Amino acid sequence: YLSPNGTRAYVFGDRVTTEEVTEAKMVLCSFGMKGKSQSMVDEIQMGLTQLYAGMLSSIRSNFSKAQGRFNVKVFEEFQRYSGLPDADKVFKVAITGGRKLGDVNVVITNQPSELLSSDKFGVFENTTSFAIGGVADEKMRAELCSRLSVENMKTELDRIALSMQKKTVNLDKSGSSDGGSQGGSHYRRSFLVRLDRRDTTITKVRLPEHIAMSPLFRTGPEVKEESK
């Protein structure tokens, strides 16, 4: 790490000043985990990465408050980050202490079950706003509604989940099926949203086709047909 010719000298290869961190419009902390498992990353390098992430998070929060600005932190792919060593320590400081500094923390995950099992990250107790999309597991939907105190919206969350299927069904007020084949399609790609622990509704955004079909939203490789 510290030798100029060391195998991991690149970790300290580019000096970053405090001014660059505080004045940047966006700071991206990448853990370089794309296509990797935790076991493939050196323990020392992972520790340094977490240390830097915590320092950058603290610097951004404090300087933003001093400048009279809000600071938005986005924890994307949280289901992967949460499995890294000491992730809970870095995250808890950001989500609890950061609120007093004017931070807006956005947590994005496609595995809410990990948050439900043991809320060691304190997500639910610190959540003021949320958006839930199509959750396939019925028990998970019920538990999410219970933990977030929106039991009255359980049927709506069921409708969103059923709309993901090729053939959806209508639900009456009790949540039972009426056997319809196409009912509830307007719930497709909708979200159950609550803002500031008060207003709860179902919402969706209709994107123009040229945006919705752009490479920005494509996952996986682009399969090309072989010429005959």
Side-chain angles (χ1 to χ4, degrees):
Y1 286 95
L2 300 179
S3 171
N5 298 319
T7 57
R8 290 192 170 89
Y10 62 88
V11 174
F12 297 100
D14 297 319
R15 184 187 300 272
V16 179
T17 66
T18 303
E19 288 74 19
E20 288 178 295
V21 175
T22 57
E23 296 176 4
K25 291 185 178 180
M26 182 176 67
V27 174
L28 178 65
C29 292
S30 174
F31 285 74
M33 296 299 292
K34 185 176 182 180
K36 295 181 181 179
S37 65
Q38 181 181 325
S39 61
M40 298 172 65
V41 182
D42 177 75
E43 184 178 351
I44 296 177
Q45 187 169 348
M46 178 57 68
L48 288 171
T49 303
Q50 291 284 33
L51 176 63
Y52 292 153
M55 292 173 60
L56 291 172
S57 176
S58 178
I59 291 173
R60 292 283 290 187
S61 297
N62 284 286
F63 273 79
S64 294
K65 182 181 180 182
Q67 296 168 357
R69 299 175 180 176
F70 286 101
N71 181 42
V72 179
K73 295 177 183 175
V74 180
F75 295 86
E76 190 178 10
E77 295 282 359
F78 187 73
Q79 73 279 0
R80 297 202 66 193
Y81 174 67
S82 62
L84 301 180
D86 295 325
D88 56 327
K89 297 181 179 65
V90 176
F91 180 76
K92 273 191 173 181
V93 171
I95 200 171
T96 57
R99 183 172 53 191
K100 300 175 183 177
L101 297 174
D103 277 359
V104 178
N105 293 292
V106 181
V107 182
I108 304 174
T109 179
N110 58 14
Q111 291 182 348
S113 57
E114 293 187 359
L115 301 180
L116 289 170
S117 57
S118 60
D119 192 16
K120 67 175 183 178
F121 294 94
V123 173
F124 287 98
E125 62 188 52
N126 289 286
T127 296
T128 57
S129 303
F130 60 81
I132 307 175
V135 178
D137 191 310
E138 184 177 3
K139 291 183 179 179
M140 193 187 305
R141 295 197 298 268
E143 190 170 353
L144 279 170
C145 289
S146 176
R147 292 288 294 274
L148 295 169
S149 301
V150 287
E151 291 90 342
N152 60 313
M153 301 297 288
K154 170 64 166 54
T155 299
E156 304 304 310
L157 203 57
D158 289 340
R159 291 179 184 271
I160 294 175
L162 288 170
S163 71
M164 298 165 59
Q165 303 174 7
K166 291 183 178 180
K167 290 186 177 181
T168 58
V169 297
N170 288 317
L171 296 177
D172 59 24
K173 293 182 179 179
S174 65
S176 60
S177 169
D178 67 1
S181 60
Q182 296 298 326
S185 60
H186 55 286
Y187 281 87
R188 185 169 175 79
R189 299 190 179 93
S190 295
F191 287 84
L192 168 62
V193 175
R194 168 165 282 190
L195 299 177
D196 200 20
R197 293 178 177 167
R198 295 178 301 178
D199 304 315
T200 308
T201 187
I202 302 296
T203 185
K204 68 188 302 181
V205 175
R206 294 184 181 276
L207 295 175
E209 186 175 356
H210 69 279
I211 295 179
M213 302 302 294
S214 71
L216 178 66
F217 296 101
R218 180 183 295 276
T219 58
E222 184 177 353
V223 180
K224 297 181 180 180
E225 295 184 1
E226 295 183 2
S227 57
K228 296 182 180 180

